[in-house]
Amino acid sequence: AAAKRKRDGLAARPKKRAKKAPSEPGVDAKPSLDGAGPEEYSIPPPVSQGKWKNKERVLIFSSRGINFRTRHLMQDLRTLMPHSKADTKMDRKDQLAVINEVCEMKNCNKCIFFEAKKKQDLYMWLSNTPQGPSAKFLVQNVHTLAELKMTGNCLRGSRPLLSFDPVFDKEPHYALLKELFIQIFGTPQYHPKSQPFVDHVFTFTVTDERIWFRNYQIIEENASLVEIGPRFVLNLIKIFQGSFGGPTLYENPHYQSPNTHRRLLRLSVAAKLREKQQVKEVQKVKKKGSKVLIGEDPTEVVFQTPAEEKPVEIQLVKPESKPIVKDKKKLRKIQRKKQKKLFRTEA
C-alpha cells in the first residue's frame, strides 16, 4: 500500500517544463525531447572556439632557505601565468640536474627555478627542459604585487603582451634570451585556464647591463599604462647549452658576484677609517711640533731694559719668635685681654 501511495504521488506531480523561446515567424520550431513544443533555449558557446595547440607548461618552484619576499614573488608569477605549475621546495643537497626529472614528472617543458644562497642572495634559473638552453640570473630590487606602490589591477588569467627593448635584436645572447622569455612568459592561446583578453604588458628593458622586468595594466579609456607588479632586475651571469648545466655559451664580463661586492664595500669602509686615523696622527705630530723650543736670538737683547740694582741688606738681629698657640680660642682671649688693658691705660 505504501508503494502504491508513492507511485500515485509521483504520478500526480506535474512535470517541470523548460522555458520556451517564442518562435520566430517563418521559422519552423524544432520539436523538443518530449516530442512536441517549440525550440528550447540553448547554452551559448564560449567566446573562443579555437584549439589549444601550444602546450607550453612552466614549472615554478624554489629551493629551501628563501625569504618571504622571494616566496611572494614566486606566488605572483604563478598568479600571472595560468600555464604554470607548482611543486614542493627542493633540498639544497640535491643537484640541479634533478630538476629535469621533476619537470618530466610534472609534464612541463619550461622551468623557473629560484635558488637561495646565504639567506640573502637570490638566483633565478630559466631553462628549456630537458634539451636546453638555460640561463642563470642574479635577482635584485624585488617588489611584489602586494606593495602599496602598485596601483593597477588586471584580470586574472588574461594573456599579456610582451614588449622587448631594441637591444634584444642587436646582440646574439640577448636574441637567445628573448626567445626564452617569449616561450616562458607568453601565455598560450586558447589555454583552458586563460581568459580571452589582453589587458596587461610585460616589458623587458636593458639598462646598465641588466634586464629590468615590469608589468603594466592597459587602461581602456585612454590606453595609458599603470604599473601592477611584480618588478625585479635580472643580472645575467651565464648562458648554458644544456638544461641546468653543460657548455657555457655566454658569460657576462660585467657581472660582479655579491660576495665580491660586499668585500669591496668592507674595504672602502676600512679605507675611510684608516684615513681618519692617519689624519688624527698628523694632527698629534703638529701639536707636538709646536712645543719644540726655538733657539735663542741674539738680537732680542736689544729690547731688554736692565732692572735697578738694590743694595743687599744683611739682618744681624734675630727676629722675634711668635708664640705658638695650639688653641685658637685661647689666642683670641689673650688678644681681648691685651685690648682691654690698652683701653684702661688710655682712659
Side-chain angles (χ1 to χ4, degrees):
K4 286 181 181 179
R5 279 199 298 272
K6 285 181 181 179
R7 287 172 190 168
D8 296 340
L10 291 170
R13 289 179 183 176
K15 292 183 179 180
K16 290 184 179 180
R17 294 183 180 180
K19 294 182 179 179
K20 299 177 182 180
S23 58
E24 297 179 2
V27 180
D28 297 334
K30 294 183 180 179
S32 63
L33 296 174
D34 297 336
E39 183 183 2
E40 297 181 357
Y41 285 120
S42 59
I43 300 171
V47 179
S48 58
Q49 294 180 343
K51 193 174 181 181
W52 179 31
K53 296 179 181 179
N54 184 12
K55 302 284 185 175
E56 295 285 354
R57 296 181 183 89
V58 183
L59 180 65
I60 303 176
F61 72 119
S62 68
S63 65
R64 296 194 179 277
I66 60 172
N67 54 10
F68 72 98
R69 190 176 290 274
T70 307
R71 188 172 65 252
H72 287 195
L73 173 64
M74 185 171 59
Q75 191 61 39
D76 292 345
L77 290 178
R78 288 174 184 169
T79 305
L80 291 172
M81 300 164 64
H83 60 294
S84 64
K85 289 187 177 182
D87 195 21
T88 56
K89 294 179 181 179
M90 196 180 77
D91 197 358
R92 295 181 190 174
K93 298 178 182 178
D94 296 339
Q95 295 183 354
L96 295 176
V98 181
I99 301 175
N100 295 326
E101 299 177 5
V102 176
C103 291
E104 188 177 355
M105 288 189 294
K106 288 283 184 177
N107 195 19
C108 295
N109 52 2
K110 299 289 185 296
C111 181
I112 299 178
F113 178 67
F114 292 96
E115 185 180 7
K117 290 185 179 179
K118 294 186 176 181
K119 295 184 179 180
Q120 55 184 343
D121 302 330
L122 177 63
Y123 297 92
M124 179 192 285
W125 285 83
L126 300 179
S127 176
N128 178 26
T129 57
Q131 293 86 11
S134 59
K136 185 179 180 182
F137 301 91
L138 174 68
V139 186
Q140 299 170 328
N141 300 337
V142 177
H143 298 275
T144 58
L145 275 168
E147 296 191 13
L148 297 175
K149 294 178 182 177
M150 314 299 181
T151 56
N153 183 20
C154 68
L155 185 67
R156 181 170 182 172
S158 59
R159 300 180 65 225
L161 292 174
L162 300 181
S163 173
F164 291 92
D165 195 273
V167 182
F168 280 93
D169 298 326
K170 295 178 182 178
E171 299 185 19
H173 62 281
Y174 281 131
L176 178 61
L177 290 177
K178 178 181 178 181
E179 185 63 29
L180 196 61
F181 288 148
I182 290 172
Q183 295 183 16
I184 290 177
F185 290 97
T187 304
Q189 194 175 11
Y190 306 123
H191 191 278
K193 292 184 180 179
S194 67
Q195 299 288 342
F197 303 104
V198 177
D199 60 352
H200 64 286
V201 185
F202 289 163
T203 62
F204 299 89
T205 311
V206 178
T207 307
D208 195 20
E209 304 297 335
R210 292 170 175 81
I211 300 172
W212 301 62
F213 176 87
R214 295 288 184 272
N215 180 21
Y216 297 98
Q217 179 193 357
I218 304 171
I219 299 176
E220 296 181 0
E221 288 79 7
N222 51 1
S224 61
L225 299 177
V226 178
E227 188 171 1
I228 304 172
R231 60 157 71 169
F232 51 88
V233 179
L234 299 176
N235 192 359
L236 178 64
I237 302 173
K238 284 184 180 181
I239 300 176
F240 300 96
Q241 185 176 353
S243 177
F244 296 98
T248 303
L249 298 178
Y250 176 78
E251 185 174 359
N252 188 7
H254 306 284
Y255 171 70
Q256 187 182 70
S257 66
N259 292 332
T260 308
H261 181 65
R262 286 191 286 268
R263 179 174 169 273
L264 292 175
L265 287 177
R266 288 196 299 270
L267 289 175
S268 64
V269 173
K272 287 182 180 179
L273 292 174
R274 204 178 301 114
E275 187 179 354
K276 285 183 179 179
Q277 194 66 27
Q278 289 175 356
V279 170
K280 287 182 180 179
E281 290 177 0
V282 170
Q283 289 176 352
K284 286 182 181 179
V285 171
K286 286 183 178 179
K287 287 180 180 179
K288 289 180 180 179
S290 62
K291 293 180 181 179
V292 176
L293 296 175
I294 302 172
E296 293 182 359
D297 189 4
T299 59
E300 285 185 356
V301 186
V302 179
F303 302 99
Q304 291 181 359
T305 54
E308 294 180 358
E309 294 182 0
K310 294 181 180 181
V312 180
E313 294 180 358
I314 299 172
Q315 191 173 1
L316 301 174
V317 183
K318 183 180 177 181
E320 296 179 358
S321 59
K322 295 180 180 181
I324 299 170
V325 182
K326 293 182 179 179
D327 194 358
K328 292 182 179 180
K329 290 183 178 180
K330 290 183 179 179
L331 180 64
R332 289 175 185 172
K333 287 180 180 180
I334 293 168
Q335 289 177 355
R336 286 175 186 171
K337 286 180 181 179
K338 287 181 179 180
Q339 287 177 359
K340 285 180 180 179
K341 284 180 182 180
L342 291 171
F343 181 74
R344 286 174 186 172
T345 53
E346 288 176 0

